[in-house]
Amino acid sequence: MLLLLLTTTAACFTGVESTPTIGNRDIKKHVSVTAEQKYFDDVFPEPISQWTSGKKFLVTDSRIDMIFQPGTIPANLHMGDILTFDSLTEVTSPTGSAVDITFSTPSNPSLQYRVNAPLHEVTEREEVEIPFTVELDIADKVRDRLIDKTFYIVTPRWYDSAGNPVTRKKFVPVVVSAVEPGNFDFPVKVSFSPVPTEANRIYSVYMSVGNGTRSTRNFDTLFSLTDPHERYQSITDDTWQAIIEGRIMPGMTRDEARLSLGSPKEVDRGHDYSSVYEKWTYDGGVYLIFRDNILESYRR
C-alpha cells in the first residue's frame, strides 16, 4: 500500500538526524533483566576445563576436515556424524605453546584440533568453540526446559517443515514439539505448532545460548513466557491484531509501529512551525512518516 507524502511534509525534514538500529546488546544496557533472559541463564557451552572424556559433538558441516591437524585428516567424516572428545595435550608449535584437542569417531581414532595458546590459558577460557560442530549437551538441556510447553513467539521469521524461511504471525501461542541440535551459529533447533494447530503443520526457529559473540538469537529474542499483549493493555484489539500480522495502520503510535515492524534502520527528524515529524526507514524501501508521534503515512 502506498500513501503519497504531501510536498509540505517532505519539506519539513530540515536538520536530518540519522540513528542506527538499536540492537539487543544496547537494549540490555538500559533495561532490567527479564524473566525470559533468566530462563536460560544457567545454560551455556561448558568450559573446556570441565570437559570429560566421552563428551559428544555433532558435525554440522562436511568442511570440518579442514580444522584437523595434518596427519589426522579424517576419512568419511560427514555432516551428522558424532565426534567424541578424548583429551587435551599441550604441545610445542612454530608459534609457541599450543593445545591439541583430540577427538575420535568409530573410523577415526585420533583427530586433533589445535588451539594456539598455552594449556593454562585455554583452560581459563569460558568457551572454546570447535568449528562446524554443536555441543550435544546444549540441545539436551534446552529440550528439558522447552519440550511440550506453550510460549508466545515474538519473531515472525520461521522455517517450514521443508526448511524454507517463511513470514508468519508473532506474539501468538505455540507449543514446542521437538528440540534438536542446530548448526554452528545457532546450536539449537526448536520446532513448534501454532495454537490452535494448523492441520498438524510444524515450524521451527534456530536458537543460540550463552553470552558469546554469536549468541544473538537467545530465548528472550524468540519467545515470551506470557502473552505480550498483557504488557500493552492500552493497545486496542484491532491494532494488536495488525501488530500480530506485521501490518501498519495510519494512527499507530511509534511504539505500536515498532512492535509491528521492529526498530527502523534510520530515523530522520524535522519540524515545521507547529509539528514534529519523524521518518523511519527500513530495508527494501519501506518507510513510515510520523507527525507528533502518530503515524500519518507510509510505504510498504
Side-chain angles (χ1 to χ4, degrees), residues 275-291:
S275 301
V276 176
Y277 291 90
E278 283 192 2
K279 179 179 180 180
W280 289 11
T281 303
Y282 294 82
D283 290 333
V286 174
Y287 62 76
L288 313 178
I289 302 293
F290 296 89
R291 181 204 292 262

Side-chain angles (χ1 to χ4, degrees), residues 69 88-101 113-120 122:
Q69 286 294 104
L88 302 176
T89 305
E90 189 165 38
V91 298
T92 301
S93 73
T95 58
S97 295
V99 173
D100 280 347
I101 306 174
Y113 172 66
R114 178 161 295 180
V115 179
N116 288 311
L119 180 62
H120 71 87
V122 172

Side-chain angles (χ1 to χ4, degrees), residues 18-298:
S18 296
T19 60
T21 301
I22 299 174
N24 291 327
R25 295 180 182 275
D26 297 316
I27 293 173
K28 290 178 182 178
K29 294 177 183 177
H30 303 287
V31 299
S32 59
V33 177
T34 66
E36 287 75 18
Q37 290 169 331
K38 294 179 181 178
Y39 198 64
F40 277 105
D41 62 1
D42 60 339
V43 176
F44 43 81
E46 192 174 43
I48 196 169
S49 60
Q50 298 178 16
W51 291 10
T52 57
S53 179
K55 184 177 179 65
K56 305 294 184 183
F57 294 79
L58 177 72
V59 176
T60 62
D61 194 311
S62 297
R63 292 178 296 170
I64 195 169
D65 288 6
M66 300 185 301
I67 76 169
F68 295 111
Q69 286 294 104
T72 66
I73 301 300
N76 301 317
L77 193 58
H78 303 291
M79 184 169 61
D81 287 345
I82 302 295
L83 293 177
T84 300
F85 167 71
D86 290 333
S87 62
L88 302 176
T89 305
E90 189 165 38
V91 298
T92 301
S93 73
T95 58
S97 295
V99 173
D100 280 347
I101 306 174
T102 302
F103 299 91
S104 63
T105 70
S107 58
N108 299 274
S110 180
L111 303 172
Q112 294 173 346
Y113 172 66
R114 178 161 295 180
V115 179
N116 288 311
L119 180 62
H120 71 87
E121 180 181 316
V122 172
T123 55
E124 289 173 356
R125 295 181 183 180
E126 290 186 2
E127 183 178 350
V128 174
E129 298 176 340
I130 308 302
F132 310 127
T133 71
V134 168
E135 188 177 324
L136 286 182
D137 291 347
I138 291 293
D140 293 338
K141 293 175 183 177
V142 173
R143 183 182 302 108
D144 291 342
R145 199 73 54 89
L146 298 186
I147 198 69
D148 296 330
K149 294 183 180 178
T150 299
F151 304 96
Y152 286 80
I153 190 160
V154 301
T155 174
R157 297 174 180 85
W158 308 355
Y159 290 89
D160 63 20
S161 57
N164 300 312
V166 294
T167 299
R168 302 288 296 176
K169 296 178 181 179
K170 57 183 173 180
F171 304 139
V172 295
V174 298
V175 176
V176 175
S177 56
V179 176
E180 306 167 276
N183 54 51
F184 179 57
D185 291 313
F186 304 110
V188 179
K189 178 183 178 182
V190 180
S191 298
F192 54 86
S193 298
V195 178
T197 59
E198 301 176 356
N200 296 321
R201 291 186 178 180
I202 303 296
Y203 299 92
S204 61
V205 291
Y206 286 85
M207 184 176 122
S208 55
V209 295
N211 296 310
T213 56
R214 292 184 294 105
S215 300
T216 58
R217 285 176 64 84
N218 284 6
F219 177 80
D220 60 288
T221 70
L222 299 172
F223 298 99
S224 173
L225 297 173
T226 57
D227 185 352
H229 196 185
E230 295 178 0
R231 299 196 291 270
Y232 303 95
Q233 295 185 14
S234 63
I235 298 178
T236 66
D237 291 343
D238 288 344
T239 300
W240 189 255
Q241 187 61 36
I243 290 170
I244 285 175
E245 297 171 358
R247 294 187 287 111
I248 288 294
M249 301 189 306
M252 277 184 163
T253 66
R254 290 182 300 176
D255 288 341
E256 291 166 349
R258 185 180 284 105
L259 284 169
S260 184
L261 295 188
S263 296
K265 184 177 181 180
E266 291 184 348
V267 176
D268 299 334
R269 297 185 176 92
H271 60 86
D272 59 17
Y273 293 108
S274 60
S275 301
V276 176
Y277 291 90
E278 283 192 2
K279 179 179 180 180
W280 289 11
T281 303
Y282 294 82
D283 290 333
V286 174
Y287 62 76
L288 313 178
I289 302 293
F290 296 89
R291 181 204 292 262
D292 295 334
N293 190 39
I294 300 301
L295 182 62
E296 185 174 72
S297 54
Y298 61 92

